[in-house]
Amino acid sequence: MATVTNIQDLRAIAERKVPRAIFHYADRGSYDETTLAANKADLGALKLRQRVMIDVSDRSTATTMIGEKVALPLAIAPTGLTGLFHGDGEIHGCRAAQAAGIPFTLSTMSICSIEDVAGAVDKPFWFQLYVMRDRAFSASLIERAKAAKCSALVLTLDLQIQGQRHNDIKNGLAVPPRLTLANALDIATKPRWIASVLMGKRHSFGNLAVRKESDSLSTLSQWIAGQFDPSLSWKDVEWVRSLWPGKLILKGILDVEDAKIAAQTGADAIVVSNHGGRQLDGAVSSISALPKIVEAIGGGKSEIWFDGGVQSGQDILKARALGAKGCLMGKAFLWALAAGGQAGVAQAIEIIRRELDVSMALTGTRNIEQVDASVLAL
């Protein structure tokens, strides 16, 4: 068994274990992938301030996110097609996150349905919503999330129109996965994945199974493609707020003016995010946008979170130093799930928690709540 010391080790295992089309779906970005690269480069460019001879014998990474206690300031981001990376992937991911003391977010475009996950775990999870052209169906998803006792709703704002991801087109990505001459050999070399996913119970969009279009996969695909709605506006956020009585998180803010409007909605948290470099290529990195948004709306009712390349404890430490209350992890979660299922996700969370703890100690920080810009070598 390969020795795993960091998230990149899990990524390498994932690349071997799942078909190329599935791996690239998580791994790659849109168009020329300049924003994807910037997410990583700009995080790496931030340097930490080493401190010595400070008593750091008693440390804590624990904090809260929207009032929920968390073992470290990290939540699993909503990721589509999660159950294609490992059979029943959403269930395994949710169990691992909850055991580690961090929140899990289920995507609208999940393979396991809201009800599947709710029936398999003992604690509430978060649900992510896309407001679709079919507003009645979107409303029904909110009702299902309420029935499942989801503790927060994550409303994604930055997918009115889908950015083109060249690799998904070239790889012929399909849901459920289908054999073609181009991918048959690749899939044939992944017997464990075949047993886990292709021969498993769930391999299509679980939350959409109630629609009549689900009887025909081609019709369902056409319906999904036509559901992203370019007419969405802030009025739709008000509409969602009127239907959802619980905690509301707005994800996909990258601009200061948008952040100000989002804060005025009374959202419990605002996620600074460029969709993992998968939407507008050429946009700024999430970490470079974070300080300006914190300056503009920090201190208000809405917590500010960071999403965009979190793959280590140091990434979390840097985001906290720039004002983020919490972070979301997407790509690294999918790599870990593909590499080892529930155990892989648990391992990834522990790797990140351990690195955060050590990095705090070496910057002279005893408690995550003490982290501010002073831990950076500016």
Side-chain angles (χ1 to χ4, degrees):
M1 181 179 291
T3 300
V4 174
T5 61
N6 60 19
I7 298 300
Q8 290 305 307
D9 289 339
L10 291 170
R11 177 185 178 277
I13 296 171
E15 188 170 15
R16 296 195 300 268
K17 281 195 169 185
V18 301
R20 179 175 56 252
I22 304 301
F23 178 76
H24 281 173
Y25 173 78
D27 194 63
R28 306 301 288 271
S30 63
Y31 297 98
D32 293 332
E33 301 185 337
T34 59
T35 299
L36 175 65
N39 278 348
K40 181 177 181 179
D42 291 352
L43 272 168
L46 291 170
K47 303 305 177 186
L48 297 171
R49 182 185 177 201
Q50 178 176 301
R51 299 296 306 279
V52 299
M53 301 306 291
I54 298 173
D55 182 358
V56 290
S57 56
D58 184 17
R59 301 182 304 281
S60 175
T61 61
T63 183
T64 61
M65 294 175 68
I66 57 170
E68 297 184 21
K69 293 181 179 180
V70 293
L72 68 161
L74 179 68
I76 302 298
T79 55
L81 315 190
T82 301
L84 296 188
F85 289 81
H86 188 284
D88 295 339
E90 290 86 359
I91 292 172
H92 290 294
C94 189
R95 286 173 173 168
Q98 292 184 347
I102 68 171
F104 174 86
T105 315
L106 182 71
S107 170
T108 291
M109 309 309 289
S110 59
I111 302 302
C112 296
S113 70
I114 301 171
E115 294 77 13
D116 289 334
V117 179
V121 300
D122 299 324
K123 301 175 185 176
F125 53 92
W126 299 346
F127 180 68
Q128 174 269 335
L129 177 72
Y130 288 120
V131 175
M132 301 178 177
R133 289 181 188 271
D134 187 341
R135 296 296 195 272
F137 183 66
S138 295
S140 74
L141 287 172
I142 295 174
E143 291 304 311
R144 290 166 65 185
K146 287 195 286 190
K149 296 181 169 54
C150 292
S151 56
L153 187 73
V154 180
L155 179 59
T156 297
L157 307 178
D158 59 352
L159 202 68
Q160 291 170 277
I161 296 176
Q162 189 169 11
Q164 180 167 303
R165 299 151 199 170
H166 298 330
N167 282 278
D168 290 352
I169 297 172
K170 292 175 180 176
N171 291 327
L173 181 67
V175 180
R178 62 174 180 264
L179 287 175
T180 67
L181 289 175
N183 67 24
L185 181 60
D186 177 44
I187 291 177
T189 63
K190 311 293 189 296
R192 291 185 181 179
W193 181 85
I194 291 173
S196 172
V197 175
L198 285 189
M199 299 179 67
K201 178 182 178 182
R202 305 175 178 98
H203 35 68
S204 190
F205 294 113
N207 290 322
L208 309 185
V210 297
R211 294 199 60 83
K212 65 180 185 300
E213 292 89 346
S214 66
D215 295 335
S216 167
L217 293 176
S218 60
T219 303
L220 178 61
S221 297
Q222 292 167 0
W223 181 82
I224 293 169
Q227 281 302 307
F228 294 113
D229 188 353
S231 74
L232 290 179
S233 72
W234 290 106
K235 291 182 179 179
D236 292 293
V237 177
E238 295 176 10
W239 175 72
V240 170
R241 177 79 278 182
S242 72
L243 299 176
W244 177 257
K247 298 291 180 67
L248 180 65
I249 300 159
L250 301 182
K251 179 177 179 289
I253 299 294
L254 208 60
D255 182 84
V256 168
E257 295 307 311
D258 288 341
K260 290 177 180 178
I261 299 171
Q264 290 169 3
T265 69
D268 296 278
I270 292 167
V271 186
V272 179
S273 173
N274 55 30
H275 215 96
R278 295 160 57 78
Q279 280 295 96
L280 177 62
D281 195 34
V284 299
S285 67
S286 296
I287 198 67
S288 66
L290 177 62
K292 294 178 181 178
I293 291 175
V294 170
E295 181 181 1
I297 66 168
K301 176 182 180 295
S302 303
E303 293 182 6
I304 301 172
W305 297 352
F306 168 75
D307 169 62
V310 172
Q311 297 177 24
S312 71
Q314 290 200 349
D315 292 339
I316 294 176
L317 186 61
K318 292 171 181 179
R320 285 282 302 202
L322 294 180
K325 174 70 172 174
C327 298
L328 301 185
M329 174 176 73
K331 292 179 186 296
F333 158 64
L334 291 176
W335 296 334
L337 182 68
Q342 183 173 333
V345 178
Q347 187 174 30
I349 297 168
E350 178 57 18
I351 286 170
I352 289 174
R353 188 204 64 78
R354 228 172 21 238
E355 184 175 350
L356 174 60
D357 176 62
V358 170
S359 299
M360 282 171 50
L362 296 177
T363 58
T365 309
R366 289 183 290 270
N367 192 298
I368 194 68
E369 299 293 348
Q370 298 172 340
V371 173
D372 58 24
S374 67
V375 305
L376 297 177
L378 299 176

